[in-house]
Amino acid sequence: MKIFLIVIDGMGDQPVPELGGKTPLEAAFKPNLDTMASHGICGLVNPFLAPGEDKATSEGAHIGLFGYQDYFLGRGPYEATGLGMKLKNGDVALRANFASVNSEMEIIDRRAGRIEKTEKLIDSLNNIKIDGVKFLIKKALGHRAVLVLRPKKGLELSANISKGDPKRVGEKPLEIKPMDETAEAAFTAKTLNAYLNKAHQILKDHIVNQKRICKGEVSANYLLTRGAGQLKSVPSFKERYGLKAACVAGGGLYRGIAEILGMKLVSVRGATARTDTNLKGKISASIKALKKYDFVFCHIKAADSLAEDGKFAEKKKFIEKIDENLFPLLGLKNVLTLITGDHNTSCVLKSHCNDPVPFLLWGGGWDKKVLFFSEKECVKGSMGRFNQEELLRKVLVLKNN
Ligand SMILES: [Zn+2]
């Protein structure tokens, strides 16, 4: 039997007053999800919190879902890999934002006016070497970028360093500090501070910024960093579970996680990670991939983004749109389908939350406990409630029975 995992990012939610106290999942018309839940097996999982996290993140929760909690690398390496950077073991990767600071070095805009065209700025910051460390930088969406520190042979770095982004306008960028006593962390922090200062010197006089200032726009003159992580060797999905795995996802982070776990990336035209994503194409590409692979992971992003913006009506509508495209699953043979979220995202709080995440299993039995698919109804499911990092192992037991 094959396994088909569909992650609807941030699917679960909290009661929304405007939806009559229902969550978007409860309020949505979703006959296919309800059929699979009421004729399948359900339960709830506690989202995995990675070391240092007090709120569930997408990267942590996916690592939990895949049962790789002992190999959590931090966000940077997943983002960098998702952007197509080929990291080497020992590289430290971070997320970076172009930001704007004034002459007093106070942040006046954390996103540099949401600058889009950063290509020339990035060119001027790439391949700089400081004390045996090469700095590689790549453009991400909008004002974002990914920064990679590659040590020369024999040199060791550490990702146990603090962030540079104080997350508040009017404050100065934070100095990067080592978070432990090791020489590697001290060296990495010192070298990164030197690079960030150098980058500021290059950016503040850059022609792109001179032109922006002439047009009355803010200067993209500083890089704020966060999410440091170090690539190390990770056992592949095949090595860990004996399963040949593939991934269908539009979002870079999810593609990056999948690639680091050794999954084959399947490209789908129009897979955007937004509400306009090609759901039909993603589901049919996943079903096709199930012929060749033992495990297919399909990621659908926009439910989370809508909830983070408080758009409960749009989230409900998007869940309905997903449901319409799940009809082909009802007829799948020899496939155990697992549908869940990574974490819940609350439209009311406009943020992720640590509430238990509902899941349904279709094609592996019928527990006759649940009438429809929702956060509350899944409490009745026969699998009960447990930690997210145990889910895949439990599904594998079911698959082999
Ligand atoms: Zn997520």
Side-chain angles (χ1 to χ4, degrees), residues 96-107:
N97 272 7
F98 277 92
S100 191
V101 295
N102 62 18
S103 53
E104 311 295 310
M105 289 302 289
E106 291 159 350
I107 298 168

Side-chain angles (χ1 to χ4, degrees), residues 201-218:
Q201 298 308 318
I202 294 169
L203 291 172
K204 72 181 172 62
D205 299 325
H206 199 286
I207 182 78
V208 168
N209 279 327
Q210 288 179 14
K211 285 183 185 167
R212 284 177 66 84
I213 291 164
C214 284
K215 284 193 275 179
E217 294 170 342
V218 292

Side-chain angles (χ1 to χ4, degrees), residues 81-121:
T81 304
L83 282 175
M85 295 177 95
K86 297 290 172 207
L87 297 194
K88 296 180 178 174
N89 286 345
D91 284 357
V92 168
L94 307 105
R95 304 173 82 192
N97 272 7
F98 277 92
S100 191
V101 295
N102 62 18
S103 53
E104 311 295 310
M105 289 302 289
E106 291 159 350
I107 298 168
I108 52 171
D109 190 326
R110 285 182 54 246
R111 301 180 181 89
R114 290 199 178 268
I115 182 173
E116 286 282 340
K117 291 188 176 159
T118 56
E119 290 84 351
K120 286 183 183 155
L121 298 175

Side-chain angles (χ1 to χ4, degrees), residues 7 9-10 57-59 61-62 254 299 301 304 342-343 345 352:
V7 177
D9 206 300
T57 62
S58 285
E59 61 276 20
H62 274 82
Y254 312 96
H299 181 264
K301 174 71 187 169
D304 171 62
D342 46 352
H343 49 75
T345 309
H352 294 182

Side-chain angles (χ1 to χ4, degrees), residues 90-92 133 149-151 155-159 184-185 187-188 230:
D91 284 357
V92 168
V133 177
L149 283 65
R150 177 161 295 162
L155 200 60
E156 296 275 344
L157 299 180
S158 164
E184 289 81 10
F187 173 73
T188 308
Q230 187 165 33

Side-chain angles (χ1 to χ4, degrees), residues 121-383:
L121 298 175
I122 281 178
D123 282 348
S124 69
L125 302 177
N126 219 346
N127 290 312
I128 290 174
K129 283 183 195 160
I130 300 173
D131 295 338
V133 177
K134 191 162 151 184
F135 289 80
L136 305 161
I137 179 165
K138 187 155 182 179
K139 180 175 169 48
L141 212 61
H143 59 283
R144 300 184 184 94
V146 168
L147 181 63
V148 172
L149 283 65
R150 177 161 295 162
K152 72 175 183 193
K153 219 174 162 199
L155 200 60
E156 296 275 344
L157 299 180
S158 164
N160 207 8
I161 53 170
S162 62
K163 64 182 182 197
D165 188 353
K167 295 232 166 182
R168 217 173 282 167
V169 169
E171 291 186 15
K172 293 183 177 173
L174 303 169
E175 189 189 341
I176 312 297
K177 296 206 167 111
M179 309 265 283
D180 61 34
E181 303 290 309
T182 63
E184 289 81 10
F187 173 73
T188 308
K190 177 176 146 260
T191 316
L192 179 55
N193 281 321
Y195 174 79
L196 295 175
N197 287 333
K198 186 166 180 132
H200 176 56
Q201 298 308 318
I202 294 169
L203 291 172
K204 72 181 172 62
D205 299 325
H206 199 286
I207 182 78
V208 168
N209 279 327
Q210 288 179 14
K211 285 183 185 167
R212 284 177 66 84
I213 291 164
C214 284
K215 284 193 275 179
E217 294 170 342
V218 292
S219 172
N221 58 10
Y222 204 87
L223 289 174
L224 294 174
T225 56
R226 65 189 194 282
Q230 187 165 33
L231 189 74
K232 61 177 179 181
S233 120
V234 173
S236 73
F237 219 73
K238 185 87 206 289
E239 287 162 340
R240 193 145 200 171
Y241 299 111
L243 300 172
K244 214 164 81 172
C247 159
V248 175
L253 172 64
Y254 312 96
R255 295 170 66 84
I257 291 172
E259 190 172 334
I260 287 178
L261 303 190
M263 297 185 195
K264 164 83 183 165
L265 299 181
V266 177
S267 291
V268 174
R269 193 175 299 208
T272 59
R274 299 187 302 260
T275 50
D276 65 354
T277 193
N278 178 6
L279 287 168
K280 193 172 179 214
K282 285 172 82 170
I283 298 298
S284 67
S286 300
I287 292 175
K288 200 172 154 203
L290 282 163
K291 292 192 173 44
K292 196 170 159 195
Y293 296 90
D294 309 310
F295 180 97
V296 174
F297 157 52
C298 176
H299 181 264
I300 301 170
K301 174 71 187 169
D304 171 62
S305 324
L306 291 169
E308 286 198 326
D309 290 338
K311 295 179 173 169
F312 53 86
E314 287 89 339
K315 181 175 175 182
K316 168 182 167 281
K317 220 167 117 191
F318 187 62
I319 291 171
E320 291 173 346
K321 195 171 153 194
I322 295 169
D323 186 79
E324 281 170 31
N325 287 283
L326 298 182
F327 181 69
L329 271 55
L330 300 182
L332 286 180
K333 296 271 182 293
N334 286 320
V335 175
L336 185 54
T337 299
L338 167 60
I339 303 179
T340 186
D342 46 352
H343 49 75
N344 294 358
T345 309
S346 164
C347 286
V348 178
L349 304 174
K350 297 186 180 178
S351 77
H352 294 182
C353 49
N354 295 344
D355 296 344
V357 183
F359 69 85
L360 72 81
L361 275 158
W362 167 249
W366 182 11
D367 66 7
K368 302 186 183 177
K369 302 274 187 198
V370 164
L371 299 175
F372 48 88
F373 191 42
S374 84
E375 298 85 343
K376 276 193 219 118
E377 190 70 4
C378 282
V379 180
K380 302 177 194 161
S382 63
M383 285 183 77

